[in-house]
Amino acid sequence: MRALAWGLALSPLFPPLSLLSPFFLPQLRKLPKAAWVVLALYGLSLLLPALFVGKEALVLAALRLVYVLGLVGAGVALAPVGLGPLGYGLFALYLEALLASYLAFGDRVSSERLLHPYHSPVGLGFMGTLGLLLTLHLRYPWPFRLLLGLLGGTVLLLSASRGGLLALALGGAAGLLFQRRGWLALGAVGLLLLLAGTLEVPIAQRFFQTHLSGREGLWLAAYEVFQAHPLTGVGPYLLGDGLKGVLFGECFLFPFLEMRGVACPEALKPFGGLWVFAHNHLLQALGESGLFGAMGLLLLVGAFLAGAWGSGLLFSLFLAFLAMGMVDNPFSVPSPFRGEVFFLAGGMALLRGFRPPLALGLAGASAMLLSLPFLYLATRPAPPPPSLLYAAIPPGEGVGVVRLSGQGYRAQVWLCQKTCRRLGWEWDGEKPIVFAFPKDLPPGRYQVRILLFSQHRLAQRPRYALPFEVEVRP
């Protein structure tokens, strides 16, 4: 048991340790027979659609199934230990993130989103939420409990992850069903919002913004893939090929590495879709494995929730994952030991027991929760048409400025020749759009495209495009 505890504590720092999970497949024998049926149905929901897609999809589906079942088995083995050791690994992870961000930004660290060598800011924010939930529900020694809670809250604040804050709020509310400590989680949400509004932490102002950071474009692309392949999807890990270029280029690395000037090598670009996700778990499952695959995933989630019923910590964790799953993919695996926690906790939950009627009801509730973002988009009013006030586009290298009139638009800037690449992230269409051209551009004629998006429908495409021609001379 001591080795298992050490493994759980070290996994956030050394995520490849989770690749040992298939060795825990024999632990599945300890589960109730009803749980075996759920796992078998989940396996069929992965393998059968992939069988009709092709050999590559079938191999990837089999690998995912073995990995997930191994993680569930590892959770069964860890049940006597619990999730307590995870807090110590998260504590060290938080220190790594603070150090990495300081090395990257120096004194500007409070005005930039928190970074980590192998976590995105969104992922870091969710890891901060996990630490806070562990702090509230587990009996750590009080000095460590205080430090873990403070660092977890700091990481969530500096990551400016609205999804992480939503996960903490919903996870805390779920905890109220079984323990009063859920009020502490909701109090932490209020405290973080108060700090974001009063302290001089510019990046924390993102907590008060309602834009979706381009996720609706990914949702549209994933939905279109599902429309083209409604029964089988395109196969596990293959959906990203249909999403590339919506938010990023053909290939990207972790933000910390990109900040340090480490670009995606040419050899990896053909595989860039492997780590591009739909930023919504329901759409991810529909795009990868069609209706059958989505039903299998929802059934598994419902079974986890039913097994966790009565446990404040486990039920809070699963609701936090689901809340984050509306706008991200926190239980996709393999990951930097983020999704792995979901399936480890799932093994612990299934070992507690399994009630099929409750599982089916909670699976349906999970589907409704994951669908809420689409309801949000469908009910937003259309913004008025924008107009161009002025534009200054330099020939070649330099800084371009575009100003529009109109409200409710987000802007992206792309530079196109034979292919297109995105300049910067995105801008509020109500403010001046200031963008820099890449350095050392080869001579030739380029097109600058200002794409304007609104957030009022699921079928989200650029509503307007403003093209400008520029010429780079030798």
Side-chain angles (χ1 to χ4, degrees), residues 94 128-129 131-132 147-158 192 195:
Y94 300 156
T129 292
L132 284 169
L147 287 174
L148 180 62
L150 288 175
L151 275 182
T154 300
V155 165
L156 179 53
L157 181 66
L158 293 180
L192 285 169
L195 292 174

Side-chain angles (χ1 to χ4, degrees), residues 107-120:
D107 295 336
R108 296 185 295 109
V109 68
S110 65
S111 60
E112 302 286 347
R113 300 188 74 179
L114 203 65
L115 293 178
H116 188 275
Y118 49 85
H119 281 282
S120 68

Side-chain angles (χ1 to χ4, degrees), residues 94 125-137 149 152-157 161-176 181-193 207 312-313 315-327:
Y94 300 156
F126 185 68
M127 297 302 265
T129 292
L130 293 184
L132 284 169
L133 290 175
L134 291 177
T135 299
L136 296 175
H137 287 279
T154 300
V155 165
L156 179 53
L157 181 66
S161 171
R162 292 166 294 167
L165 192 68
L166 176 65
L168 180 60
L170 193 57
L176 287 174
R181 292 179 187 178
W183 289 113
L184 296 176
L186 297 179
V189 171
L191 179 60
L192 285 169
L193 288 175
F207 287 126
L313 173 59
F315 202 77
S316 293
L317 284 177
F318 289 134
L319 262 292
F321 272 99
L322 277 175
M324 193 73 177
M326 290 191 289
V327 294

Side-chain angles (χ1 to χ4, degrees), residues 208-228:
F208 305 101
Q209 299 171 357
T210 58
H211 64 79
L212 294 169
S213 300
R215 285 177 172 85
E216 59 271 49
L218 285 170
W219 294 343
L220 169 65
Y223 183 72
E224 288 177 338
V225 172
F226 164 65
Q227 281 185 312

Side-chain angles (χ1 to χ4, degrees), residues 276-352:
V276 179
F277 301 101
H279 283 67
N280 178 279
H281 266 298
L282 181 58
L283 281 174
Q284 184 75 28
L286 288 170
E288 287 187 336
S289 302
L291 284 170
F292 192 41
M295 291 173 61
L297 178 65
L298 290 171
L299 178 61
L300 185 66
V301 171
F304 287 174
L305 287 168
W309 191 264
S311 168
L313 173 59
L314 289 178
F315 202 77
S316 293
L317 284 177
F318 289 134
L319 262 292
F321 272 99
L322 277 175
M324 193 73 177
M326 290 191 289
V327 294
D328 205 76
N329 289 82
F331 47 96
S332 289
V333 289
S335 73
F337 207 72
R338 200 168 45 243
E340 284 75 3
V341 176
F342 179 80
F343 293 103
L344 288 174
M348 298 177 185
L350 290 178
L351 191 63
R352 289 168 48 87

Side-chain angles (χ1 to χ4, degrees), residues 382-383 385 409 451-457 460-465:
Y409 289 96
L451 302 182
L452 299 180
F453 296 80
S454 66
Q455 302 180 102
H456 77 289
R457 290 291 182 269
Q460 186 57 228
R461 298 180 185 275
R463 297 204 52 167
Y464 301 97

Side-chain angles (χ1 to χ4, degrees), residues 370-383:
L370 292 172
S371 301
L372 284 180
F374 317 135
L375 178 62
Y376 166 79
L377 288 179
T379 56
R380 288 179 63 86

